[in-house]
Amino acid sequence: MSKIHKTNAARVLDGLKISYELLEYDVDESDLSAVHLAKITGVDIAKIYKTIVCEVGTREYIVACIQGDLELDLKALANVSGHKRCELLALKELEKVTGYIRGGCSPLAMKKQFATFIDERALSQDKILISAGVRGKQICINPNDLASATSAKFKSIARVIKAP
C-alpha cells in the first residue's frame, strides 16, 4: 500500500485535526470483500472494517462498521439503536443514500450524517482500516478517533459467520 490523493473522507478527518494514514491497494472488481483485501495486502483481517448501511424505518438509516470476516447481527444493531427492526440497505439504494458505491463506502463524509455503530471488537485494535470512500483506498485510523469523527458508539453488533 502506498500513500495517495485525498478523498472527502480524508478531508473530514483533516478538518477535525484527526491523525490517520491514507493507503492505496489494487482493486479486484470481481472480489470487493474485506477478506480479499486482507489476502492481497497482508493486513490482519481483524484490523479491516467494512461499512454496512441499514434501513431502520421509511427513509431512516444507520451505519455499522464491523470486522471484515464477521457478519452484522441485525437484531443486535436494531436493539442498540433503539429500533424494532433493521434491514440491510438494498445495494441499488446505496449511492443515492450515502453518495458511495459498494466497495467504497466509508462511514465518513456520507451525504448525510447517520447514527453510526462500531463493533466493540475494534477497541482491541490500535489502528483499523476503513474505506476512504472510493475503491482502492483505505484509511488507517485509531478506532476511538473514528468514533469521535462519526459520533459513533461502540456496541456488540457482529457475530462469527456460520458455516453453511
Side-chain angles (χ1 to χ4, degrees), residues 28-103:
D28 179 351
E29 297 287 336
S30 69
D31 190 348
L32 298 171
S33 72
V35 172
H36 181 70
L37 175 62
K39 280 182 193 164
I40 64 169
T41 62
V43 174
D44 180 359
I45 189 64
K47 294 181 183 298
I48 297 175
Y49 274 64
K50 55 189 175 186
T51 303
I52 301 170
V53 182
C54 294
E55 193 167 0
V56 291
T58 306
R59 283 184 251 154
E60 191 178 352
Y61 309 98
I62 58 177
V63 175
C65 296
I66 66 169
Q67 189 176 303
D69 61 342
L70 300 178
E71 71 179 357
L72 183 59
D73 183 335
L74 293 170
K75 284 183 182 173
L77 183 59
N79 186 39
V80 300
S81 67
H83 293 91
K84 286 187 168 95
R85 66 171 190 83
C86 181
E87 297 174 3
L88 296 176
L89 180 66
L91 274 180
K92 65 180 185 193
E93 300 292 316
L94 185 64
E95 189 171 7
K96 185 170 73 175
V97 170
T98 67
Y100 291 126
I101 59 170
R102 180 177 170 263

